[in-house]
Amino acid sequence: MEQYKFMTLGRHIIEGEKMHPEASGELSYLLRDLSLAAKVISLEVNKAGLVDILGFTGDNNIHGEKVKKLDIYAHDMLIRAMDYGGHLCVMASEEEEGIIHISKKHKIGKYVLLFDPLDGSSNIDANISIGTIFSIYKRITPENTPGAMEDCLQQGIKQVAAGYVVYGSSTIFVYTAGQGVHAFTLDPSFGEFLLSHENIQIPKKAKIYSANEGNYLYWHKGLKKYIKYLQEEDKETGRPYSSRYIGSMVADIHRNLLYGGIFMYPADSRHPNGKLRLMYECNPMAFLIESAGGRATDGKQRILEINPEKLHQRVPIFIGSEEDVKMVEKFMAEADVEKTVS
Ligand code: P6P
């Protein structure tokens, strides 16, 4: 790994803010508070194996999925770390049905935070990498009033910052505030996130595809043809591709961000909208990957241009290296034409 200057996340955020004199500094404080929550969550995630932390709570979350204690811990930790700073007017979480109001005893700010506190949590017991995903907007309702659902249901193109924390062999904080994508690796010996990858650009084309092929039977005909195309041998186009699927969106996308590749969670005949959530999984990842020179669509439309209707709505997603995403869109469009003329 390239030897970087001794740049902490905090310094990087402040230097990034200097490029925007009009910036109030509130966004910098928000990102700093997020990084604090990430350090604390990382501590708990890395205690894996302690019975009192792992294992099911026996409860279900609002989607009827079994909740792991760490899910709740991460959700609660993020709310505690973020609500008193005076920078937010409202929050929303995968773990909460409705919006999360800022406590009356705290100042109301001008930003909105949506998050998936611990994505991939079904992998916790197997010690597979999991992550926190966050998305930040400016509020659109009047200042100094409680935030509202409409502040949360904004198109992804309106995000002012987005990113994720991947809790793996290292804890890495990856974010963009619109000026490039940067990654910081936590040095647990003194609890600082240090710059490890600056201005990340995702390769335009690569040799990795990432999808749960257990759903192949139920996929769009054009997608099936695309997967078979990737598996053919053709040296000129770098085929066959390698299949890499961790089953943890943050980990799969982090690998593709660095190495290139395409991650797909498509619709299928059983789940017409796919599985992943627009507001706190697909939109932040799409903002980040587009900022790194990649592409993110639902197979037809840019993820960032989807008009949100519900806080927890699901969308199909094809995200990663630009040429690879365009290729799968081409296969599916051609199959749709064949279907209409047949
Ligand atoms: P499947 C994890 O549960 C998650 O929400 C994402 O992190 C991941 O990409 C996806 O679901 C995996 O879903 O159906 O392949 O197990």
Side-chain angles (χ1 to χ4, degrees):
M1 188 191 312
E2 187 180 333
Q3 188 60 34
Y4 272 106
K5 46 188 180 278
F6 191 81
M7 172 69 79
T8 64
L9 173 59
R11 274 183 60 191
H12 193 273
I13 292 169
I14 289 164
E15 293 196 4
E17 183 198 305
K18 283 181 196 154
M19 290 162 63
H20 292 264
E22 78 285 357
S24 65
E26 283 202 74
L27 182 59
S28 305
Y29 288 123
L30 252 180
L31 289 166
R32 179 205 59 190
D33 293 349
L34 270 170
S35 70
L36 174 66
K39 289 178 198 173
V40 178
I41 294 168
S42 172
L43 268 178
E44 291 305 314
V45 167
N46 290 324
K47 281 181 190 167
L50 293 179
V51 174
D52 65 326
I53 289 281
L54 294 181
F56 290 108
T57 60
D59 307 322
N60 286 346
N61 68 13
I62 56 169
H63 312 296
E65 294 156 348
K66 282 280 181 213
V67 181
K68 295 253 182 199
K69 280 184 180 173
L70 272 177
D71 274 355
I72 294 182
Y73 179 87
H75 170 79
D76 293 346
M77 182 47 61
L78 280 158
I79 291 173
R80 274 177 55 200
M82 303 309 295
D83 83 338
Y84 71 89
H87 313 301
L88 294 170
C89 67
V90 67
M91 289 186 263
S93 165
E94 182 188 36
E95 296 297 337
E96 193 110 6
E97 178 68 31
I99 58 176
I100 300 164
H101 288 289
I102 302 303
S103 160
K104 288 191 174 41
K105 57 180 185 285
H106 301 320
K107 176 175 164 292
I108 289 186
K110 64 183 181 184
Y111 289 99
V112 178
L113 174 68
L114 298 100
F115 56 88
D116 182 351
L118 211 56
D119 175 73
S121 54
S122 53
N123 294 305
I124 292 174
D125 289 352
N127 199 29
I128 291 167
S129 298
I130 50 183
T132 298
I133 310 172
F134 60 88
S135 169
I136 300 173
Y137 292 86
K138 276 214 175 122
R139 73 177 305 173
I140 54 176
T141 53
E143 295 218 353
N144 301 316
T145 62
M149 181 64 84
E150 62 193 291
D151 290 306
C152 297
L153 292 180
Q154 300 183 53
Q155 274 185 319
I157 44 174
K158 302 281 181 49
Q159 291 174 96
V160 293
Y164 59 82
V165 185
V166 52
Y167 309 103
S169 49
S170 300
T171 294
I172 301 179
F173 187 104
V174 183
Y175 88 100
T176 183
Q179 286 87 34
V181 175
H182 315 288
F184 299 78
T185 301
L186 181 64
D187 182 329
S189 63
F190 60 103
E192 277 290 355
F193 279 106
L194 298 179
L195 181 65
S196 50
H197 302 75
E198 194 168 27
N199 283 316
I200 304 171
Q201 285 294 302
I202 185 170
K204 289 297 179 190
K205 186 182 179 306
K207 287 187 56 180
I208 294 173
Y209 74 98
S210 189
N212 182 344
E213 292 187 70
N215 299 322
Y216 179 88
L217 195 62
Y218 311 105
W219 282 347
H220 184 288
K221 190 175 171 200
L223 176 56
K224 290 180 176 177
K225 278 187 172 176
Y226 172 68
I227 297 294
K228 292 306 167 202
Y229 166 80
L230 294 185
Q231 293 169 346
E232 292 165 353
E233 185 173 345
D234 176 79
K235 293 223 178 343
E236 211 173 283
T237 51
R239 289 179 288 149
Y241 275 28
S242 296
S243 171
R244 294 283 183 276
Y245 192 69
I246 301 168
S248 184
M249 183 189 200
V250 174
D252 277 314
I253 290 201
H254 184 65
R255 180 207 50 245
N256 289 0
L257 172 66
L258 298 181
Y259 299 168
I262 178 171
F263 172 85
M264 299 172 271
Y265 209 104
D268 66 38
S269 50
R270 300 170 304 170
H271 306 102
N273 295 313
K275 173 180 182 182
L276 301 179
R277 314 288 179 172
L278 173 61
M279 296 316 295
Y280 40 77
E281 291 173 338
C282 298
N283 264 336
M285 288 306 199
F287 187 68
L288 191 129
I289 290 293
E290 285 199 5
S291 300
R295 180 176 174 85
T297 72
D298 63 1
K300 289 193 171 83
Q301 178 182 21
R302 254 179 104 199
I303 294 289
L304 297 182
E305 290 177 352
I306 294 174
N307 285 308
E309 288 160 12
K310 292 203 180 328
L311 195 55
H312 302 288
Q313 75 182 72
R314 301 172 195 265
V315 292
I317 183 165
F318 300 82
I319 182 170
S321 295
E322 184 180 22
E323 286 180 32
D324 291 301
V325 176
K326 284 182 174 172
M327 180 65 80
V328 68
E329 290 167 4
K330 179 171 171 290
F331 270 80
M332 294 199 295
E334 285 170 355
D336 287 341
V337 168
E338 280 167 26
K339 195 172 162 189
T340 47
V341 301
S342 59

